[in-house]
Amino acid sequence: MITIKKIPTPEQAEFIERWNVALDKSSPEDILTWAYNTYSPKLTMGTALGNSGCVILSMLAKLNLRIPIFNLDTGYQFPETLELFDQINVKYGLGIIRRTSDISVAEFETINGGALYNIDPDRCCYERKIKVLESIAPNYDAWISGLRRDQSSTRANTQVVGWDAKFGLVKIAPLAHWTNKDVWKRIVEESVPYNKLYDQGYTSIGCQPCTRPTSAGEDERAGRWAGKQKTECGLHG
Ligand code: SF4
């Protein structure tokens, strides 16, 4: 589970910082257009089809910015998430691909003597998600994520344009400065498809075994790995 951190060249670091400042107050559409013009065809997006991700997908479609998009399918996603995946692909025609581990869930659990998410969720996330992205990352220079600063204290400093040392990619967060309310406003205004689990009290949706609904007053991501020290899967911190 050792990931060697990759550092940007001084020129890359200067470029990233300059554009991070320049785009900090820009609209998500302008940020996405800049990202496309700067990095395509070496630009990709990873999405778990959360509410922010779905809004970004709707923007990419509206702007007709065609990039490769993937969903890291751990094999433990909710059926509702898989249904949404099909629904989004039909509505927007973005050709989102589900990327999976080479090892099926059944084999994985046999090798590990059961469900690894119960005893070592960090390693489970590493095997089911991080390794898959590590195999994708060398094909690209930059990736788009749905991170927002208001999602949790660990995401409060999210840059619009930053450096992802884990994967050696420029990381672009077009909704970094949006709030949860902004996201839902756009979903309603433009009938963006969303995960129906949000209607059942979920406020952040990951894998089924590691996600529960949240209560009023809890952080948006409090239902992820509840009762464990873990707050991130390792993709974003
Ligand atoms: S979120 Fe849970 S089930 Fe999904 S990869 Fe991580 S530990 Fe495994």
Side-chain angles (χ1 to χ4, degrees), residues 4-235:
I4 297 167
K5 292 209 166 169
K6 299 163 185 77
I7 53 170
T9 64
E11 292 76 21
Q12 279 174 314
E14 187 277 325
F15 183 85
I16 288 165
E17 197 41 44
R18 179 155 45 90
W19 281 101
N20 178 50
V21 171
L23 293 169
D24 192 59
K25 302 281 185 291
S26 299
S27 70
E29 287 87 350
D30 284 350
I31 296 166
L32 287 170
T33 303
W34 172 85
Y36 183 84
N37 290 337
T38 306
Y39 292 108
S40 184
K42 294 278 196 173
L43 174 67
T44 186
M45 173 173 170
T47 179
L49 301 171
N51 57 353
S52 300
C54 291
V55 165
I56 294 171
L57 295 171
S58 73
M59 292 172 175
L60 288 171
K62 204 167 170 183
L63 294 164
N64 197 25
L65 303 178
R66 301 287 155 175
I67 61 169
I69 304 169
F70 62 88
N71 163 258
L72 293 176
D73 186 0
T74 60
Y76 292 113
Q77 295 192 106
F78 284 93
E80 288 84 350
T81 307
L82 302 180
E83 275 169 33
L84 177 63
F85 177 89
D86 293 336
Q87 200 186 347
I88 290 260
N89 261 344
V90 169
K91 174 155 185 167
Y92 296 123
L94 292 167
I96 308 166
I97 291 172
R98 274 160 58 185
R99 298 296 299 261
T100 58
S101 164
D102 293 337
I103 304 169
S104 70
V105 164
E107 281 176 277
F108 184 63
E109 294 193 354
T110 302
I111 293 164
N112 289 292
L116 199 56
Y117 53 76
N118 282 327
I119 49 171
D120 191 347
D122 282 342
R123 193 155 72 80
C124 185
C125 280
Y126 179 75
E127 298 286 341
R128 306 303 298 178
K129 292 186 188 177
I130 310 295
K131 267 170 88 168
V132 181
L133 183 50
E134 281 177 347
S135 71
I136 297 170
N139 298 320
Y140 298 100
D141 292 336
W143 72 307
I144 296 168
S145 84
L147 296 188
R148 299 192 329 268
R149 292 172 190 150
D150 77 332
Q151 284 175 311
S152 66
S153 56
T154 56
R155 297 185 174 187
N157 296 320
T158 298
Q159 295 192 197
V160 169
V161 186
W163 176 254
D164 187 332
K166 188 173 281 178
F167 301 107
L169 296 172
V170 175
K171 189 166 177 177
I172 296 145
L175 299 185
H177 53 300
W178 270 31
T179 64
N180 193 37
K181 203 170 160 190
D182 295 328
V183 171
W184 283 108
K185 185 165 177 281
R186 178 63 65 93
I187 287 174
V188 171
E189 279 172 358
E190 302 203 359
S191 302
V192 176
Y194 66 92
N195 197 320
K196 296 304 172 214
L197 291 171
Y198 285 106
D199 296 336
Q200 298 171 33
Y202 291 82
T203 49
S204 174
I205 299 161
C207 292
Q208 189 161 15
C210 302
T211 309
R212 66 150 170 80
T214 51
S215 309
E218 280 191 313
D219 258 8
E220 186 174 322
R221 290 177 57 80
R224 306 289 294 276
W225 306 282
K228 297 190 168 73
Q229 290 299 311
K230 191 172 167 64
T231 57
E232 293 282 350
C233 64
L235 286 176

